[in-house]
Amino acid sequence: MKTKTNFFFFFLVLFSLLLFSYYTVWVIVLPFVDSDHLLHRYFLPREYSVILPGIAAVVLLLCIGQTFTVVVVWKNRKPKKVD
């Protein structure tokens, strides 16, 4: 069981590292490369570098808000009276 957990966290860290590297190259390096260079074929247009993290932030905030609302409603729930 422990090796499955270690493998999962290793994969999660590797995925995060690859995503961070891709985004860093896309946002920081790519503006300094000529627009007809081969490297531009592997990246979306620059407008998406702001739109996609914005959408991800909104989805994250919605999930946090929904979780908070469910917890508050669950804690304030009154037990049913038994007659």
Side-chain angles (χ1 to χ4, degrees), residues 71-78:
V71 167
V72 167
V73 168
W74 186 267
K75 292 284 185 181
N76 291 335
R77 191 175 57 139
K78 294 181 181 179

Side-chain angles (χ1 to χ4, degrees), residues 28 34 45:
I28 296 175
D34 292 333

Side-chain angles (χ1 to χ4, degrees), residues 9-23:
F9 285 118
F10 174 75
F11 179 75
L12 195 61
V13 168
L14 184 66
F15 176 74
S16 299
L17 181 65
L18 288 173
L19 188 66
F20 178 76
S21 301
Y22 180 87
Y23 188 77

Side-chain angles (χ1 to χ4, degrees), residues 57-69:
V58 168
V59 168
L60 178 68
L61 289 174
L62 285 174
C63 290
I64 291 171
Q66 182 181 9
T67 304
F68 179 74
T69 304

Side-chain angles (χ1 to χ4, degrees), residues 3-50:
T3 45
K4 287 183 182 180
T5 306
N6 288 344
F7 178 73
F8 174 74
F9 285 118
F10 174 75
F11 179 75
L12 195 61
V13 168
L14 184 66
F15 176 74
S16 299
L17 181 65
L18 288 173
L19 188 66
F20 178 76
S21 301
Y22 180 87
Y23 188 77
T24 302
V25 169
W26 185 21
V27 172
I28 296 175
V29 175
L30 210 58
F32 298 107
V33 177
D34 292 333
S35 60
D36 58 345
H37 195 272
L38 175 69
L39 189 62
H40 279 277
R41 292 190 343 187
Y42 300 108
F43 296 93
L44 291 172
R46 249 181 253 142
E47 296 84 26
Y48 290 107
S49 67
V50 175

